Amino acid sequence: MTRSDDAPAEHVFKLLVTGPFAAGKTSLIQAVSDTPVVETDVDTSGDEASVKSSTTVAMDFGTYAIDDGGVRLLLFGTPGQRRFWFMTDILKGDVDAVIYVIDADASHTHTEAGEAMRALLRDLRVPLVVAVNRCDDPAMAVLLARQLGTLASEMAVPCQLIHRESGREVVVEALLAVLDRLERQGVDMLDPVSRMLQTAGAT
Ligand SMILES: Nc1nc2c(ncn2[C@@H]2O[C@H](COP(=O)(O)OP(=O)(O)OP(=O)(O)O)[C@@H](O)[C@H]2O)c(=O)[nH]1
Ligand SMILES: [Mg+2]
């Protein structure tokens, strides 16, 4: 059955895309969003201007539809610069899962990222997927995620977030983690899950 374009999604999930400065959060949302991305990048100020000329100061917002629109993901991206971290507190309400983006090559950011990530998860208690950007090696992605403090049950996805297909793998993993949790809570999501997996397998 094909859904009409204006049919409301059966299931809407909110994903928080967060992580250190310049990790690739905005890139992920730009890569996967089906709708024009709302961005708030302005010229970077301070020492970090030498790393990247623009930075997110409030939020990114994009969407991603799966299962012919039956499942709709709302992607909220946070700023990475410390002085804008208060935005994470504003954006994190009612999230269904966290995508924590790190840059595999930026090892100087990993200790602080791990502390921030675990504090966020202690607070939110939702599924986590770690997107290990600029990384092609699954074993390395798992190793870096474990160093950040992930649990064995939490997924680490190696990715190149400037590419849509790579970003798509990350958001599908996040959705699977949400659905797995709902299933364990006894929420009947089996139909959307199986349809979604068929869609994912077909592309
Ligand atoms: N080569 C390569 N560059 C990437 C990749 N992902 C992101 N970039 C680049 O890395 C830079 C940082 O990406 P952003 O998406 O702006 O990072 P961010 O996490 O949103 O940064 P802030 O909002 O400033 O914290 C950009 O210049 C991207 O084009 C990737 O997979 N490969
Ligand atoms: Mg950004």
Side-chain angles (χ1 to χ4, degrees):
M1 186 175 73
T2 303
R3 297 171 55 82
S4 70
D5 284 349
D6 54 1
E10 289 168 46
H11 303 283
V12 178
F13 299 111
K14 177 178 176 181
L15 306 183
L16 186 72
V17 179
T18 189
F21 173 71
K25 304 175 292 296
T26 300
S27 298
L28 167 59
I29 295 176
Q30 284 173 330
V32 302
S33 184
D34 298 324
T35 49
V37 176
V38 176
E39 288 175 47
T40 62
D41 272 38
V42 303
D43 288 351
T44 309
S45 58
D47 293 347
E48 286 162 329
S50 62
V51 177
K52 188 160 76 79
S53 60
S54 71
T55 190
T56 305
V57 295
M59 63 178 282
D60 306 304
F61 175 73
T63 65
Y64 185 72
I66 297 179
D67 183 32
D68 198 19
V71 175
R72 190 159 188 251
L73 305 180
L74 308 181
L75 302 162
F76 287 81
T78 71
Q81 268 198 321
R82 179 181 277 274
R83 64 203 177 104
F84 300 116
W85 280 5
F86 66 91
M87 281 305 303
T88 304
D89 290 329
I90 294 170
L91 296 171
K92 72 184 182 184
D94 293 328
V95 300
D96 294 294
V98 170
I99 296 173
Y100 204 92
V101 183
I102 61 164
D103 178 345
D105 297 332
S107 54
H108 62 285
T109 66
H110 293 176
T111 301
E112 186 176 71
E115 288 164 7
M117 186 189 79
R118 293 285 16 134
L120 183 66
L121 268 290
R122 273 197 302 276
D123 178 19
L124 296 181
R125 299 188 181 279
V126 295
L128 166 72
V129 170
V130 178
V132 183
N133 195 18
R134 298 188 183 85
C135 176
D136 296 313
D137 178 356
M140 177 60 72
V142 169
L143 180 67
L144 290 176
R146 294 291 176 273
Q147 287 173 353
L148 257 54
T150 56
L151 309 174
S153 58
E154 293 169 332
M155 281 294 298
V157 183
C159 49
Q160 301 288 344
L161 292 176
I162 44 175
H163 301 307
R164 177 173 168 85
E165 190 53 36
S166 191
R168 187 178 168 283
E169 280 178 35
V170 172
V171 295
V172 167
E173 278 303 336
L175 176 58
L176 288 172
V178 172
L179 296 176
D180 181 56
R181 185 180 207 224
L182 287 173
E183 197 179 338
R184 281 187 282 110
Q185 290 173 341
V187 179
D188 183 11
M189 290 288 293
L190 288 178
D191 276 357
V193 174
S194 58
R195 288 205 306 261
M196 190 204 72
L197 289 174
Q198 281 167 7
T199 306
T203 55

